[in-house]
Each structure stands twice: as C-alpha cells, then as structure tokens.
Amino acid sequence: MAEIQSGGTHSPLPPQPQLFQLEPIDVAEPWQHELVECFISFSTLSAGKSQTELHETLQQKASESMHSHGELVNALVYGILTVPAEGNTYLRHLNIVSRDGFAHAISRLKLLATAHRFARVRPEVRSQLFWLLSELVKVSAHGVDQVVLALTRQVRSGDVTQGNVKLCWLMVQFAQANYAWLSTFPVLVATTVYMLGRVALDHSRIPDLRTAECELATRLLREQFHECCIIGRDLVRMLQDVARIPEFHDLWQDMLQRPQSLSPLFAGIEQLLRTPTPPMFLANRITYEMESRLRFILENLPATSYSRNLIWFVQRYLSTPESESLFSDLIRYIIGVFHPSNAVLASNVVPRYVFLGGLLRFIRSPVVAANAKLALFYNWLFYDPKSDTIMNIEPGVLIIAQSVDKYTFMTASFIEFLAYESDAYSPELAPAIRGSIGQAMQDAVEKGVIPSIMPIYEHPRIEVDIRQNLYHLFPQLVPPVPEPAPSEASADDAEPAKNDDAMLLDPMDMLPPAAVDSEPAPEPPKPAVELPLPIAAPQPIRIVSAAPKISIALDPVSRMFQEEFGITDFDLAPEGPADAENTNGVSDTTAEGGAPKDAALVASAEPLPEISVKQALDDTSLWLFGSTLQTFVDSVAATEPDVKQIGGSVKEIVYMFAQSEASILAITRVLASIFSDSLDMEDVETNAELATAGESSDELEHDLLHYILAAAADYAHMMEMTNSAQRVLQLLVQLTEAKVDVGFRWLLHSVVNAGKPVQYARYVDQYAEGTLQAALVRDLGMLQEQFPGLFYTVLPQIYAAFPDARKFTDSVPAITAIIGMTLESDAFEQVCFWQLLNAEVGGDEVRVAGSKSKQR
C-alpha cells in the first residue's frame, strides 16, 4: 500500500476472460482463466515468428507432453472464439497441433455449452462457436454431437429476447447446414425435434424463424420418425400444442389416420402414449442454470422457508407473459426427472408436491393453467406399473390428498380434471385410461404414498358429484355414492335447489360461478377455454387435450399442508344458514315476546381489531392469493389507476376468498383500502341501477364497489345457503363495518338489478343483532340522503319487494303533509312524489290481496 501511495510500481491485474459479458463483481470460472493464460503464453510464443517457424515450434511443443498439448489447444480454442478475424488462422494451427482427434478442444467447447451463464455469452463468441462446430463436423471429429446436444438445452422456452432468438436461428441454421451429419445421431434428432416443437410456440411474432423451425422439425419427423418415437408420450403432448400451425397440421393428421405412412413400424398414436418419456427429453427444456436453482430448493430448503426462493425463481424466469409456456416444462421436469433420494424424503426438505402447488399459484393464463394440469397428471392417463415409476405419480397423489382438509376446492378441482380427462382425452381409449388412472392410485395406496383415499371420499366438504367422480375413477377403492333420499329433494319445482360448490369453482380459473342443478350432469362439462387442436381421426382414435376447467392461481405455499397451520384468530365462522324460503317478501325478525329487536343495526358484539394493509398482506392465510393482492394494492396506489382493470382484480379476489379459508379481517382491510385511498369513484347512478337506466352493463362504467357486489351476487343468489355464500355475505358486513357504503348499494343490487330481495335479507341475517326493518331504515336513509332522485325512482320496487316493511322510512308519514306543496313544485319533483304515493298504494293493495287470499 505504501508503494502505491509513493508512486511505486505494482503488477497489473490479469486480463479478464472475454467469453462472457460479466459485471465487475462477477467471478469467472477457473477454466476461463486457464484459457486466457494459455492464450497469453501462445501470443508470446508466436510473436516475431514466420508461419514456417511457428508451425515447427507448435509441432515441437505439442509433442513434448499432453500438458503442453492441452495448453496449446486451450489457447487456440480461445483465440478462435474471441478473435473472429483470426479464426481461420487459429483453426489451421489447431489442425496441426491436435494429437487426440480434437477431443480436448471439444471438451473445452462442452464447458462453454453447459455453462450456467451461457445466456451471457458474447454474441461474437456464440457465432464463432457454431462456426467451429461446423468445421469440426467436416473433419468428423468425435463428440461434436454432445456439444450440440448441450446447446439445444440452452435454447430457453418462453424467452423471446434478442439473445435467445439469435441462438434459435443459429441452431436451425447449423442443423440445416449439417442435416446429413445430424441424421446419424438418433438421440440428437429426437432432442432437436422436441426442442423445436416446444420453442415454436413462442415465436408467433417471428414468422420467418417459426417457419424455419417447423419445416426442420417436420422434415426430421417424416424422415426419421422411428428415431423420434423414443421421445414417447410427451411427443404427443408437444404435437398437440403445435398442431394448429400449418406446417404441423398435415403431419398430425397422418399420425392419426395414416400412421404407417410415417414408419412401417409405427402402429398408431397409442404406441407413443404407452411409452414413458425418458428423463433426458424432459430435462432438455430446462437450462442448466434453472436446474441448478431448482435442485438447490428441492434438495436443501425446508418447507417452512422455501417460498422466498420460489418467488425469486419466478421473478427471474417466469415474469413475462411469453415465459408462461415454461410452466408445463418445469412441472414435467419435477415430475419425471427430479426424484428425491430416501434421505431427502425423510428430512424436512420441501416436498415436490408442495413446491408444485406454490409454483402453480403464479399462473395467470387460463390456457397455460389447463396445460399445467395436464402436465401434472399426464403420466396417470397411461400408467403401466411395468414401465412407469410410482415417483411420477406421487406428487399428484399427495397434492390431492394433503389439500383436502384446508383447501378442499383444490382436491375437488384435480379430481374433476381427472374424471374429465378419463373420458374426453381419447374417447376410444376411455376405458383403458380409466383403468390406468385407477391402477396409478391403487399402486400409490399399496406402496404407502397415502394409506387410503377414503378420507377424501368421506370428507364432509367433498360434494356428491366429486364423490361420484371418485367412484367413477377408483371403483376398487371407494364404495358407490348412495342415492339421495326423496325427502331431501327440493320442494320448489319451479326453481330447483342449487349449490355453488356443486359447480366447483376451479381454484385456478376465477370465473364467476353459475347455478347448476343439484342432480349430477350426465356428461362431463365442456372445456371453458379454446383447446389445442383435438385429435380428430375417425379411426382408430380421437384425443382432445385440455381440462374441463381453466386455472389462474393455485394456493399451496410453504406451510399450507402443515398440521399446525390453522385459520387466524380474525376468521369468522358462519353462524348458520339464513332463512331463505321466502323469496318474495321477508318478515322482520322479532325478539322474545314479539317485540322488534333494537332498531340500531349492530354489526357484532365485539368489534374486530384494526390492522393495517401491510399487516393484512402478511397474514399467512392470504398466501393463497400469491401476488394477486400485492398487485392489486400497487395498482390502487398508481398515479392513474385503471378502474376497470382493478375491478377485474377485485372480482378475482372475492372469488378466491369465497372458496378458501382466508382471514375475513385481512381481506376486508385490503379491499377497504381502495375506498380510503385517493382513488376517484364513479357516480353510483351510473352503476348498479341498470334496470332504471335502461342500459346493459356493458355500456356503463362501473366503480369498484360494483365489482365487489357483482362477485358477491354470484354466490348470494343460490337458493341453498352454502359456506361460500356465507363468507361473501360476511365480507360485505365487514366492509360495512369499515365505513364502506355497502348497505344501500347491496339493497339496490339485490332488488333493482337482480330482483332477488332474499340476497339483501341474507346480508342482514349475517349481523349478530338487528332486524330487516332496522337495516332498511339505515340503508334507505343513506340512499335518500345521497341520491334523492334515485331514492324516489326505485322506492316502488323496494316496497313491492318488502310489503311487510312499509313503515321503514321517516319520509313516508310526511307524504300527506306535502301533497299540496308538490302542486307548485317542478315537474320532476311532482313525478317523484306521485311515484312514491303509487308505491304506498301498491303496498296496501298487496297486503289486501294477501289477506283476502288467506280468508279464502
């Protein structure tokens, strides 16, 4: 240090390797420094020598020892890669000094091809690498195929950055230029086909590249089909995804209808479906760097602390819309390649099924989610104990069994998916597929993956239709579902009883629930999304690829399956089903002795503690929502928030909340934040009162409260009061407690829009105390105060809906006192008054008609 301060000399830093674009803080691998040192020595050795002298020197040094030979090869390979202008010269020197058939040179290239940082290789180095490989192919160097095989793995799925697109082009051009050589390596042919088929999906906006990829893949498939068959069933899965691309369409049809036109040994697509995919093909779609990160999580991190690493992984590799196609490849890798050792299985390291659940919750695209489900259960459809391993089945079995207690909707969703796929994936093979699924579960039980599936079948939150699906899939493991007793049938023939759990809102699709008849549907539901092109061969087989439901977000997180993980203290249990028998008029609830209860509307005996939005987001029960809630809060805080986009997020949050056991207090605090923050709200008169406005909902702009009420109405309209309906109504109650004007808006939404006053009555019933009369006094008073014009307009409908509650407003007794005054008022005020008077008369007539009918 003293030397430097006094101006003394010191040795300069060694030159940095020029293979990768590294930051100053990055450390190069030792082999890179070795190449640089050898290149510097070679430069010193060759300085001032003629070509003849240099050749003699190189020959002499290469013959001294294998170590000297290796140093020369290192220098020349580095020079070819980093100094393109001298590439031909260095290649001539390499031909002179090589004593091992270029084995050492190829080993250096393989280090580069398998590097975790390959995405950061300099563009000129990447181009020189493929040029050098082509030159080595010309001299028939042994081992080039292994380098190319490694490079196919560096082509990242779901990545349309400039560097990855350039790598795709280089791979295609190399394969086209060396097609005859490529055809002599069956594994390389099959791997290239699988790689091209998977990445072609990502290049829809790069037509030239996609066309080149598809033409090369289809050429290899037609000319080398027998070699490609080693891919197995995932070849079918890949081709189904690309079958709509014109270049693949004809090939797909030939596979279905004319299989022997591709190969005399090809008996049909069932032959492929019965062949398990070797792990090397599944691993090919995961780069070496991704694999290293995944294995670190799955081999080292406990289940209680892996989620932070998972979030980092998703942000690094799955943060763009294009990267969503990588989800299926990651699932297939975890299912078919990574099989933990017994030591890992016996430790507290995060299980595969927990990691998969945590990964799936980041999915946002319905189509990607359907494909992810198929990737998770694909081996089940054609499971054969003689050729398949139980380790490919274990994650699916455990994610079904371990989520039944606290995340029943997940279990139901996966069972429903399996039931649908068993019949719809290939109708001609449906009996065999059902047998394979049943055999897979039976092997899982016999080998101790789970002790039995009866806990799933007998779980009280599993609906009848899901039990029927279980019996449909596993008749050897569960008894048949008993027929419901006649007395349990609905007494109302005009409108059959409905249950929101019967339609089983998929935990990943977040579509609004719809009423479904209580009787099980005779046929599986049709998929809710546009599916990949179905296999439409009239004979011998037809296949479709997708799920009956679509998915947006799955819930398993780091502690979701732990026994100690329970509902927070802020959760409110339903107090019991509301009385919803009377859908036309609802009577007030009275206290003991017939006297009305306290007119003041009391939300709860003990108010819930106040928490901040940050505390709410940290609530462990909300981990189910993934990044949805944080994204929602961030969008609310945006400078120019998009109310329509935020409204869609609000509906998604309400749907997920209804089907989960998330904390009511926490979710209320998050939703209430949109009304406390500086977010402009639309006028209520442009929203819910669509019947009055005479416009369709698509023509109007809505405020955010409208989206909350619309999502809640999807559950509250059910005739049978289910747990999900109770939860959304309790959410409305808690929003009311949070000073959100829910009451009169829900009254308008229920009576004016939906024409179902029972929804409002159920909302009132969720209060610990209070009556319908007290609620109407409060809510109509707020409506009259804030929107008097709207109040008088809708009052007749509210009177008709609640004929026994005509005494609820203070304005009604004063009608007779203002009759004379209104005669001199403006026309609008007169119209409002006479509408109000008409409502009074209409209410009397209803009561008179009711009393006369009773007398009869």
Side-chain angles (χ1 to χ4, degrees):
M1 192 59 152
E3 271 188 359
I4 296 176
Q5 290 177 348
S6 62
T9 61
H10 62 280
S11 60
L13 293 174
Q16 291 298 307
Q18 298 300 306
L19 297 175
F20 298 87
Q21 295 174 322
L22 301 179
E23 300 294 334
I25 62 173
D26 293 328
V27 178
E29 286 85 353
W31 63 269
Q32 297 181 49
H33 288 291
E34 182 184 358
L35 293 181
V36 174
E37 293 170 0
C38 292
F39 183 72
I40 293 174
S41 299
F42 171 80
S43 299
T44 303
L45 180 67
S46 60
K49 291 185 172 64
S50 65
Q51 287 293 327
T52 302
E53 294 174 337
L54 181 58
H55 284 176
E56 292 177 354
T57 303
L58 293 177
Q59 289 276 20
Q60 181 180 359
K61 187 171 180 61
S63 301
E64 289 178 357
S65 65
M66 291 304 297
H67 177 72
S68 299
H69 170 264
E71 288 181 341
L72 284 178
V73 172
N74 287 345
L76 294 171
V77 168
Y78 185 83
I80 293 172
L81 295 176
T82 58
V83 190
E86 299 294 328
N88 286 313
T89 301
Y90 291 138
L91 180 61
R92 288 197 300 269
H93 296 334
L94 183 61
N95 283 320
I96 292 174
V97 303
S98 180
R99 298 289 188 272
D100 57 359
F102 301 98
H104 187 75
I106 291 174
S107 70
R108 302 301 94 183
L109 298 181
K110 193 170 182 180
L111 285 175
L112 178 62
T114 58
H116 290 180
R117 293 172 173 171
F118 187 84
R120 298 166 67 178
V121 169
R122 295 179 180 275
E124 63 273 15
V125 173
R126 187 176 299 173
S127 298
Q128 285 297 105
L129 171 61
F130 280 92
W131 174 80
L132 177 57
L133 290 174
S134 295
E135 295 300 317
L136 292 175
V137 167
K138 293 178 182 177
V139 297
S140 301
H142 179 72
V144 178
D145 59 306
Q146 296 300 312
V147 180
V148 178
L149 201 62
L151 288 172
T152 62
R153 193 168 175 179
Q154 299 288 9
V155 178
R156 300 185 301 279
S157 298
D159 186 347
V160 292
T161 59
Q162 182 178 359
N164 197 59
V165 169
K166 179 62 175 177
L167 179 59
C168 292
W169 269 116
L170 290 172
M171 285 296 306
V172 171
Q173 292 168 352
F174 174 84
Q176 291 172 336
N178 301 279
Y179 184 82
W181 170 85
L182 175 66
S183 300
T184 61
F185 298 95
V187 173
L188 183 57
V189 168
T191 303
T192 302
V193 166
Y194 189 67
M195 180 269 293
L196 292 173
R198 293 301 297 164
V199 300
L201 290 171
D202 306 326
H203 300 150
S204 58
R205 298 184 180 181
I206 315 175
D208 293 343
L209 176 57
R210 172 182 268 197
T211 299
E213 290 169 340
C214 294
E215 289 178 350
L216 176 59
T218 53
R219 180 185 178 187
L220 288 170
L221 279 166
R222 288 191 178 277
E223 298 179 4
Q224 309 284 333
F225 188 81
H226 182 67
E227 287 76 5
C228 295
C229 284
I230 62 175
I231 300 174
R233 62 177 63 118
D234 275 83
L235 176 61
V236 178
R237 188 176 65 89
M238 179 271 286
L239 289 174
Q240 282 179 276
D241 289 340
V242 298
R244 294 182 183 274
I245 301 176
E247 289 82 359
F248 280 101
H249 183 267
D250 292 341
L251 173 71
W252 182 241
Q253 294 303 316
D254 287 343
M255 286 183 63
L256 299 174
Q257 302 177 14
R258 298 173 295 277
Q260 292 192 341
S261 66
L262 299 174
S263 172
L265 301 177
F266 183 46
I269 203 167
E270 184 179 358
Q271 176 182 335
L272 285 175
L273 294 173
R274 294 294 180 188
T275 305
T277 300
M280 63 180 174
F281 296 109
L282 300 177
N284 181 263
R285 293 295 77 234
I286 307 298
T287 66
Y288 294 99
E289 183 183 35
M290 289 183 195
E291 183 178 39
S292 175
R293 311 296 186 189
L294 278 177
R295 286 188 172 271
F296 174 78
I297 297 174
L298 294 170
E299 292 177 347
N300 298 282
L301 299 184
T304 55
S305 61
Y306 84 98
S307 56
R308 181 172 61 178
N309 295 70
L310 173 60
I311 292 172
W312 178 90
F313 184 90
V314 171
Q315 291 174 344
R316 185 176 181 89
Y317 300 113
L318 300 164
S319 59
T320 63
E322 296 82 7
S323 63
E324 288 183 326
S325 62
L326 186 59
F327 277 100
S328 295
D329 294 325
L330 286 169
I331 293 171
R332 294 300 292 157
Y333 174 87
I334 296 171
I335 293 289
V337 180
F338 178 75
H339 293 166
S341 63
N342 290 334
V344 172
L345 290 174
S347 68
N348 67 338
V349 173
V350 56
R352 289 189 297 167
Y353 74 94
V354 174
F355 182 86
L356 284 171
L359 180 67
L360 289 168
R361 68 188 170 95
F362 290 96
I363 294 178
R364 291 294 177 266
S365 166
V367 175
V368 172
N371 290 335
K373 282 185 180 180
L374 186 62
L376 180 60
F377 292 103
Y378 197 49
N379 291 0
W380 290 51
L381 305 184
F382 308 98
Y383 177 78
D384 183 353
K386 297 179 181 179
S387 56
D388 286 279
T389 171
I390 194 65
M391 294 300 289
N392 293 342
I393 306 300
E394 178 227 37
V397 173
L398 292 177
I399 204 170
I400 289 174
Q402 299 291 355
S403 59
V404 68
D405 287 330
K406 296 190 178 298
Y407 302 93
T408 313
F409 57 87
M410 281 189 57
T411 296
S413 170
F414 290 132
I415 293 171
E416 190 178 39
F417 171 83
L418 283 172
Y420 176 82
E421 289 294 309
S422 67
D423 293 326
Y425 187 81
S426 173
E428 289 77 9
L429 294 176
I433 292 176
R434 285 196 298 272
S436 296
I437 294 174
Q439 184 64 53
M441 183 62 80
Q442 186 166 353
D443 279 10
V445 172
E446 291 176 353
K447 294 181 180 180
V449 177
I450 58 174
S452 171
I453 66 170
M454 287 304 295
I456 304 173
Y457 182 83
E458 296 174 345
H459 198 279
R461 295 182 63 185
I462 291 294
E463 298 293 331
V464 173
D465 57 340
I466 302 304
R467 290 193 178 98
Q468 291 171 337
N469 286 334
L470 281 170
Y471 179 70
H472 178 70
L473 293 170
F474 316 117
Q476 73 277 26
L477 299 175
V478 298
V481 180
E483 293 293 332
S487 59
E488 298 177 3
S490 173
D492 189 352
D493 295 334
E495 186 176 356
K498 299 172 184 178
N499 187 326
D500 68 331
D501 289 332
M503 25 139 217
L504 262 173
L505 175 68
D506 191 309
M508 298 168 290
D509 71 19
M510 296 305 113
L511 292 179
V516 179
D517 291 342
S518 59
E519 296 180 359
E523 297 294 336
K526 293 184 178 179
V529 296
E530 182 181 359
L531 309 179
L533 189 68
I535 300 180
Q539 44 186 309
I541 186 172
R542 181 171 62 86
I543 298 178
V544 294
S545 169
K549 301 283 185 178
I550 57 177
S551 49
I552 296 275
L554 273 177
D555 68 301
V557 289
S558 57
R559 288 182 289 175
M560 65 171 292
F561 297 121
Q562 295 181 17
E563 289 297 326
E564 63 271 18
F565 182 68
I567 307 172
T568 65
D569 295 335
F570 301 131
D571 282 313
L572 300 177
E575 301 212 1
D579 180 11
E581 294 179 359
N582 183 4
T583 59
N584 187 29
V586 183
S587 299
D588 289 346
T589 304
T590 57
E592 184 178 356
K597 292 182 180 179
D598 187 354
L601 198 59
V602 181
S604 62
E606 297 181 3
L608 294 174
E610 185 70 22
I611 62 173
S612 65
V613 174
K614 184 179 184 304
Q615 288 174 316
L617 291 174
D618 290 339
D619 192 293
T620 55
S621 69
L622 298 190
W623 291 353
L624 149 71
F625 293 83
S627 59
T628 303
L629 290 177
Q630 186 61 60
T631 302
F632 165 75
V633 173
D634 295 341
S635 61
V636 169
T639 305
E640 297 181 357
D642 185 341
V643 175
K644 186 174 181 180
Q645 180 180 358
I646 299 174
S649 299
V650 166
K651 294 187 72 173
E652 178 182 340
I653 291 169
V654 174
Y655 292 143
M656 296 176 70
F657 167 78
Q659 293 288 333
S660 69
E661 295 183 359
S663 166
I664 294 179
L665 174 62
I667 204 69
T668 299
R669 186 65 189 89
V670 174
L671 292 179
S673 67
I674 65 178
F675 303 102
S676 60
D677 293 337
S678 57
L679 184 62
D680 294 335
M681 306 293 289
E682 297 291 338
D683 192 329
V684 68
E685 294 189 72
T686 67
N687 282 288
E689 299 64 56
L690 305 182
T692 302
E695 301 182 42
S696 67
S697 59
D698 294 335
E699 296 171 344
L700 299 177
E701 294 182 357
H702 300 299
D703 66 5
L704 297 182
L705 185 54
H706 167 84
Y707 292 98
I708 295 177
L709 299 180
D714 288 330
Y715 291 94
H717 79 280
M718 301 295 179
M719 290 193 66
E720 182 180 347
M721 191 62 171
T722 63
N723 181 64
S724 297
Q726 287 177 324
R727 283 180 62 79
V728 295
L729 290 175
Q730 287 176 351
L731 176 62
L732 296 184
V733 170
Q734 292 305 316
L735 287 172
T736 305
E737 281 290 291
K739 311 302 182 184
V740 180
D741 292 336
V742 172
F744 77 89
R745 289 291 299 275
W746 185 243
L747 175 63
L748 293 171
H749 197 97
S750 303
V751 177
V752 179
N753 286 9
K756 294 183 177 181
V758 67
Q759 295 182 7
Y760 180 77
R762 286 173 172 172
Y763 160 74
V764 175
D765 286 341
Q766 294 301 310
Y767 286 92
E769 299 181 15
T771 65
L772 177 63
Q773 176 178 336
L776 289 170
V777 168
R778 173 185 180 275
D779 294 334
L780 282 173
M782 294 183 64
L783 176 60
Q784 183 185 22
E785 178 183 350
Q786 297 187 33
F787 305 99
L790 181 61
F791 168 78
Y792 290 113
T793 301
V794 303
L795 197 56
Q797 294 172 268
I798 296 175
Y799 272 22
F802 301 101
D804 295 329
R806 293 195 318 62
K807 304 185 292 293
F808 41 54
T809 63
D810 295 333
S811 61
V812 174
I815 285 181
T816 56
I818 62 173
I819 291 178
M821 298 171 56
T822 60
L823 297 178
E824 298 179 359
S825 302
D826 293 337
F828 174 75
E829 295 178 357
Q830 292 191 45
V831 169
C832 292
F833 167 73
W834 289 107
Q835 285 180 339
L836 179 60
L837 183 60
N838 178 62
E840 283 287 294
V841 176
D844 289 338
E845 289 178 350
V846 171
R847 296 187 66 185
V848 170
S851 62
K852 286 183 179 179
S853 63
K854 291 180 180 179
Q855 291 174 0
R856 293 176 183 174

